Amino acid sequence: DVQLVESGGGLVQPGESLRLSCVASGITFSRHDMSWVRQPPGKEVEWVAGITRLPSLFRAASYADSVKGRFTISRDNAKDTLYLQMNSLKIEDTAVYYCVADNYPGDGWLTGIATEPPGYSGQGTQVTVS
């Protein structure tokens, strides 16, 4: 079975930092572009950041304007793990954060323009900034 398990969420004050992790199993992690999405309370899911399957490539990562300069997405293919370093957190960053694996290369999940569901997603981790 495919599993994407997020961790690292919690309650923090504005300006503080958190680091989210997502451990993948049941998939060949290095063959998937990966992304983080979030769902704020009462709102729709929004794409946060994406990273190419081979992060050594030029422009490996993309970010939503709302998090650019504050969040950093990274991955360790040897550990099948995706990360999201979140600095200078704001109240509006409060959401459930999910890691997402693309469905196929070029499906848009890397840059937040996907029109189809992802290949796989996790159960989410709650981030509360208050």
Side-chain angles (χ1 to χ4, degrees):
D1 288 354
V2 175
Q3 282 194 313
L4 299 177
V5 181
E6 303 94 338
S7 62
L11 172 63
V12 296
Q13 294 184 347
E16 294 186 339
S17 298
L18 278 175
R19 189 194 197 201
L20 305 184
S21 299
C22 170
V23 178
S25 60
I27 62 172
T28 305
F29 182 72
S30 61
R31 292 183 181 178
H32 289 270
D33 294 338
M34 298 295 295
S35 299
W36 288 97
V37 302
R38 67 186 181 186
Q39 186 166 26
K43 297 183 179 181
E44 294 188 351
V45 173
E46 58 185 33
W47 176 84
V48 174
I51 186 167
T52 183
R53 60 200 65 202
L54 297 174
S56 60
L57 293 176
F58 180 61
R59 287 187 179 175
S62 301
Y63 299 92
D65 287 344
S66 59
V67 306
K68 200 172 292 184
R70 299 188 298 121
F71 290 11
T72 302
I73 187 172
S74 62
R75 66 191 294 165
D76 186 338
N77 285 346
K79 296 181 178 180
D80 293 343
T81 302
L82 178 73
Y83 303 100
L84 185 68
Q85 177 67 42
M86 305 186 295
N87 298 330
S88 302
L89 282 161
K90 303 177 180 180
I91 291 175
E92 51 264 41
D93 294 318
T94 295
V96 179
Y97 284 71
Y98 302 87
C99 71
V100 162
D102 70 351
N103 210 352
Y104 53 85
D107 65 358
W109 278 101
L110 177 63
T111 54
I113 61 171
T115 58
E116 303 173 15
Y120 308 98
S121 61
Q123 293 300 307
T125 185
Q126 175 71 48
V127 172
T128 302
V129 186
S130 177

